[in-house]
Amino acid sequence: MSNGIAPIGVFDSGLGGMSVAAAIHRRLPGEAIVYVADSGFAPYGEKTDAFIKTRSRTLAQWLIRRGAKALVVACNTATTQAISLLRSEFAIPVIGVEPGIKPAVQSSAAKVVGVLATAATLRSGRLQELLSSHGRDCRFVCQAGHGLVELIEQGTVAGACVDALLDKYLAPMAEAGVDTLVLGSTHYAFLMPSITRAFGDQFHLVETGSAIARRVEDRLTEHGLRADASVANPALHLYSTASETRPLQRLAHALCLVGSEVASVSVDM
Ligand code: DGL
């Protein structure tokens, strides 16, 4: 398989990374993508560091066996816990997703930034580094989004259950004067309409999908791995480790990712 034709391999603990895959597809429509949602093992945010590292390695190996020319870890939790390991083990470019602490600090007028992320991301050394390197004149209010990923994995991104959790996690942030909210899990990008409905323009929302798509473009270009522009309609293949793959299919439809070939099947690994 020549580099141009080879796909970009993208993985997440589940459906959240589809927000990143969609941004990559919009920016680089000529690139084939193989996406694997580890929904059978989600949520990563409530698992141990060792578990997250092992699953990340397994998914990366699987994508590389399928010919991936670059890997996108479309998961803040897996990036903060496992990206160094993946970079040390695999020779292809590995691009990760981190909570957008720096852009949030830059855009916060009040200098009070909320960080909604998984428990595993919040306890990671990498997040602590980001907070201390950008937090000189900024206060952070960090909150783990327990239960949100489980709802999103079922395809629930709005409604009473979502609103109740958002109120529990974000109302105290609003009271603390937060004006900018980092969505520190790729899953949470799908909650943006619900957050805006509940909190109006209280929070400027920071998510990193399009920034990651730009980084993917830069890394592919640096490594001479861009797809040949003459390849029309490159394949977009979606896989899930869950036995129920309908939420992934529905999400692909909602994101208008079904123009190209979409194969959604269960993989057991
Ligand atoms: N999508 C993952 C992230 O960006 C987290 C979801 C999970 O807890 O599995 O952190």
Side-chain angles (χ1 to χ4, degrees):
M1 192 181 277
S2 91
N3 282 338
I5 298 168
I8 301 169
V10 183
F11 78 84
D12 177 41
S13 62
L15 305 185
M18 287 288 283
S19 58
V20 178
I24 296 170
H25 185 63
R26 276 194 302 274
R27 186 163 189 100
L28 302 169
E31 297 287 349
I33 295 175
V34 179
Y35 181 91
V36 59
D38 202 14
S39 296
F41 294 82
Y44 282 8
E46 308 290 332
K47 306 287 196 309
T48 65
D49 298 1
F51 179 92
I52 297 163
K53 286 190 175 78
T54 303
R55 286 310 297 165
S56 299
R57 179 196 275 123
T58 302
L59 295 165
Q61 283 166 338
W62 187 84
L63 286 165
I64 289 169
R65 279 203 299 278
R66 300 194 70 82
K69 62 185 176 185
L71 278 180
V72 179
V73 184
C75 176
N76 295 263
T77 310
T79 299
T80 50
Q81 298 289 343
I83 199 145
S84 314
L85 173 85
L86 299 181
R87 287 192 174 132
S88 70
E89 290 193 2
F90 304 111
I92 60 175
V94 181
I95 299 111
V97 178
E98 286 182 341
I101 303 298
K102 184 178 175 187
V105 169
Q106 284 165 348
S107 78
S108 172
K111 295 296 171 212
V112 189
V113 166
V115 183
L116 185 66
T118 69
T121 295
L122 291 179
R123 72 168 176 261
S124 70
R126 179 62 190 147
L127 186 77
Q128 296 312 315
E129 262 171 47
L130 285 170
L131 297 180
S132 49
S133 56
H134 299 292
R136 221 166 311 128
D137 11 83
C138 188
R139 188 156 59 85
F140 296 105
V141 182
C142 296
Q143 172 65 53
H146 301 291
L148 289 170
V149 167
E150 289 88 333
L151 288 171
I152 297 163
E153 283 294 306
Q154 294 159 19
T156 305
V157 294
C161 297
V162 168
D163 288 348
L165 287 179
L166 289 177
D167 188 59
K168 181 170 162 195
Y169 300 147
L170 302 185
M173 289 194 189
E175 274 161 37
V178 166
D179 67 351
T180 303
L181 175 63
V182 177
L183 300 176
S185 159
T186 50
H187 280 76
Y188 303 159
F190 297 120
L191 299 178
M192 288 169 84
S194 286
I195 295 173
T196 304
R197 237 187 335 270
F199 291 90
D201 58 6
Q202 166 79 41
F203 303 124
H204 168 64
L205 301 178
V206 177
E207 66 91 31
T208 44
S210 33
I212 298 310
R214 276 198 304 280
R215 191 167 312 151
V216 171
E217 180 176 30
D218 292 347
R219 296 300 305 281
L220 293 182
T221 305
E222 275 165 33
H223 286 80
L225 292 172
R226 288 291 305 277
D228 182 343
S230 64
V231 178
N233 299 323
L236 171 61
H237 290 295
L238 308 178
Y239 296 90
S240 173
T241 57
S243 48
E244 173 57 270
T245 57
R246 271 174 299 185
L248 181 58
Q249 283 282 16
R250 279 197 294 267
L251 187 57
H253 276 273
L255 291 168
C256 305
L257 289 176
V258 285
S260 29
E261 296 166 44
V262 178
S264 180
V265 296
S266 244
V267 288
D268 189 15
M269 53 179 153

